[in-house]
Amino acid sequence: MTDFASSTTTPLAAEADLLIAPVFEGPEPGPGVRELGLLAAYEAAKLTGKKGQHLLVPRPADATFAAGAVLLVGVGAKASFDVTAMRRAAGSAAGTARRFGRVTTTLALPAGARHAADAVQAVAEGLGLGAYRFDRYRSKPREERGVTSVTVLSSERWDAKQVRAAIQRADVLVDAVCWARDLVNTPASDLPPAALADAAREMAEEVGLTCRIWDETELEDGGFGGILGVGRGSVHPPRMIELSYRRGGRSAPLALSGKGVTFDSGGLSIKTADGMESMKDDMGGAASILGTMKAIARLKPKVNVIAAIPASENMPSGSAQKPGDVIRHYGGTTSEVLNTDAEGRLILADAIAYLASQDPALIVDTATLTGACMVALGTDITGAMGNDDRLARDLIAAGAAAGEPMWQLPLFHDYRALIDSNVADIKNIGKRYGGAITAAWFLAEFAGETPWVHLDIAGPAFTDQGTDLSPKGATGVPIRTLVRFILDRAA
Ligand code: BES
Ligand code: MN
Ligand code: ZN
């Protein structure tokens, strides 16, 4: 666990095992290179401040600074060093920081007063998120201290109360994101639906959320045919996790859902071995909503938030649902299951219909829903689709501020007909092209008139390469966006 703090101490006086300082591209080496007495090191290492350059300088005997070592981080041109760049620069330094323990940094100081709080939050987030590791399954402990504390240096001219609140947000967000990453990184055999539900219940007790777990009998009685249909082939029965946070008086709640397919084999429409390799991550949407609820419960904004998270394991077996089967979703809409690998929409349909029946102000769902969305937008960008362009715009803006990029795809009307079924109300696949959009059209059926946006996170939920903010594996996207969106709504 990392401790987060801010301080108005000078960089020279800041006590830590490591001081992280930015270096801009341009004729002037700095800021702070001269003051730290590191001009000779800067020149000898031929630094230019280009993004991605790192130089670790151990403390010389005659050092004018108190820290045990300095890490100079190239951040590019000063004009482009915005809050997003600060977060990423901090994240890129986190791997080195893990060797040191107590870390302090001047990375937020170039921000203007107007962006001070966002800058402090981003830098603390970057270090906390970049330092995450998933070690539960390693038999030998790492020989690193990890990042034990992060102190973000701030200006005396900044609003101290806002800076403190920013540090608290970063602390809460890093905890929520890392907790969600742990859930996603956990192998599917160790986290079937009931175990995911147990983790949610434990979290809810810890932070004071109301929690109800629907078991398979209750789902049967309630008419949740999608969650049950997808789970039918598995020996691990499905669950639905219902969470509620109420601090918003009588106002209509914001409603959240997330795809919780704890493993996606494809079912009888089985995937290839390659296609299955990362499918323990198919509950990344569920984990992102659980993480969001955890953070909201700790930040306590004046707003009501409810969540319904469907969890099923999609397996082929003698009891599995078959292509051509018709299932009945919560609320009565029927769907023809022509491909059992298009399962996420089937379980989300029940949860979205259930949420819509509670008269929420809006619904947002997150899901590792389609390979097609990855083809459209690549691995780094979330696809946003829905029935309310203003809501989509607000979410995309929150994503930009949080450093989680999103792009809207159109719910183009003519494509609705692609999911017309010959035997049921709708079918669960469209044609070959436009798969992210036909999947969204399927979900739209269940949101009805409620303003709703679907976030397809098939790309960004998981990273094969690692990013500045995340080692290889689960990323926790889009928790920081959703929390920001909810805090903005409450304010
Ligand atoms: N979980 C997958 C989508 C996915 C694929 C996420 C790759 C991350 C990486 C989803 O359940 C799925 O299998 N979708 C199918 C839908 C198709 C059968 C209409 C797909 O995208 O191929
Ligand atoms: Mn699938
Ligand atoms: Zn899936």
Side-chain angles (χ1 to χ4, degrees):
M1 271 283 73
T2 309
D3 283 323
F4 292 93
S6 63
S7 167
T8 52
T9 331
T10 66
L12 289 179
E15 302 244 12
D17 301 312
L18 180 70
L19 169 67
I20 301 167
V23 180
F24 298 133
E25 212 163 9
E28 245 320 276
V33 169
R34 241 179 262 280
E35 293 81 343
L36 289 164
L38 296 179
L39 193 56
Y42 170 95
E43 280 170 353
K46 311 265 186 273
L47 287 193
T48 60
K50 199 166 163 305
K51 213 178 261 178
Q53 279 181 351
H54 282 192
L55 179 68
L56 184 63
V57 190
R59 188 172 190 282
D62 60 347
T64 55
F65 55 83
V70 176
L71 179 66
L72 297 177
V73 179
V75 298
K78 183 169 186 194
S80 64
F81 194 49
D82 57 9
V83 167
T84 299
M86 287 179 187
R87 187 187 294 104
R88 292 182 64 161
S92 78
T96 301
R98 282 182 52 84
R99 302 209 298 271
F100 286 85
R102 294 175 310 142
V103 176
T104 189
T105 178
T106 58
L107 277 167
L109 287 177
R114 203 159 64 86
H115 297 292
D118 276 345
V120 168
Q121 180 183 336
V123 168
E125 269 177 20
L127 278 159
L129 295 175
Y132 170 83
R133 296 294 181 270
F134 183 65
D135 288 339
R136 199 180 294 164
Y137 290 83
R138 297 194 189 274
S139 59
K140 294 177 203 69
R142 280 176 202 269
E143 287 167 16
E144 297 183 314
R145 287 191 228 180
V147 175
T148 54
S149 74
V150 170
T151 303
V152 181
L153 298 181
S154 63
S155 162
E156 274 172 344
R157 291 188 300 275
W158 294 348
D159 183 325
K161 206 170 136 211
Q162 281 187 24
V163 168
R164 228 175 304 125
I167 288 287
Q168 195 218 351
R169 281 196 299 276
D171 186 4
V172 166
L173 284 166
V174 168
D175 167 73
V177 170
C178 293
W179 178 72
R181 286 177 180 177
D182 280 351
L183 290 175
V184 179
N185 286 329
T186 299
S189 290
D190 288 349
L191 202 79
L196 182 63
D198 284 344
R201 197 201 317 261
E202 233 170 82
M203 177 277 285
E205 272 166 27
E206 182 197 322
V207 300
L209 289 167
T210 309
C211 176
R212 174 180 177 192
I213 306 299
W214 296 62
D215 67 18
E216 64 272 37
T217 321
E218 293 164 316
L219 290 169
E220 190 84 55
D221 293 345
F224 293 80
I227 298 174
L228 289 162
V230 171
R232 255 176 54 193
S234 170
V235 296
H236 302 294
R239 295 286 183 267
M240 188 170 78
I241 301 159
E242 192 177 356
L243 294 169
S244 146
Y245 167 87
R246 288 190 186 272
R247 266 179 174 257
R250 290 173 183 284
S251 65
L254 314 182
L256 307 175
S257 187
K259 173 179 173 181
V261 173
T262 58
F263 185 72
D264 183 11
S265 71
L268 287 174
S269 312
I270 198 161
K271 290 183 182 294
T272 61
D274 273 0
M276 253 181 250
E277 252 180 41
S278 68
M279 282 302 129
K280 68 173 183 183
D281 300 2
D282 217 18
M283 35 62 76
S288 76
I289 300 306
L290 291 173
T292 299
M293 293 302 283
K294 185 175 198 220
I296 290 300
R298 294 184 61 198
L299 292 171
K300 300 188 169 44
K302 289 199 170 46
V303 62
N304 295 324
V305 190
I306 56 174
I309 300 166
S312 303
E313 183 179 68
N314 188 23
M315 296 291 279
S317 79
S319 62
Q321 63 177 350
K322 305 165 189 75
D325 282 359
V326 173
I327 57 180
R328 185 178 301 274
H329 294 280
Y330 182 86
T333 300
T334 59
S335 70
E336 184 187 11
V337 181
L338 287 175
N339 189 317
T340 64
D341 197 11
E343 84 296 341
R345 64 201 74 181
L346 301 178
I347 70 171
L348 281 169
D350 287 352
I352 290 172
Y354 177 72
L355 287 169
S357 74
Q358 330 260 310
D359 297 318
L362 55 88
I363 300 175
V364 179
D365 79 81
T366 63
T368 48
L369 204 62
T370 66
C373 196
M374 299 175 73
V375 172
L377 297 175
T379 56
D380 296 359
I381 302 172
T382 295
M385 287 146 272
N387 60 14
D388 190 297
D389 285 343
R390 224 184 62 180
L391 176 57
R393 207 183 333 121
D394 289 349
L395 283 162
I396 290 167
E404 297 180 322
M406 302 186 172
W407 201 262
Q408 191 174 358
L409 300 176
L411 210 52
F412 180 59
H413 265 94
D414 289 6
Y415 293 175
R416 169 60 183 77
L418 294 172
I419 57 165
D420 284 345
S421 163
N422 294 331
V423 297
D425 296 337
I426 46 176
K427 61 181 179 184
N428 80 328
I429 48 169
K431 286 222 163 68
R432 171 145 183 216
Y433 299 115
I437 296 171
T438 46
W441 265 123
F442 187 94
L443 299 178
E445 204 66 25
F446 300 88
E449 300 294 303
T450 309
W452 152 81
V453 166
H454 155 63
L455 300 175
D456 193 328
I457 55 169
F462 182 83
T463 170
D464 282 330
Q465 320 269 325
T467 69
D468 287 338
L469 298 179
S470 178
K472 291 174 188 170
T475 62
V477 168
I479 293 173
R480 290 181 300 107
T481 299
L482 294 177
V483 171
R484 189 166 185 115
F485 170 78
I486 293 167
L487 294 182
D488 286 351
R489 292 274 309 197

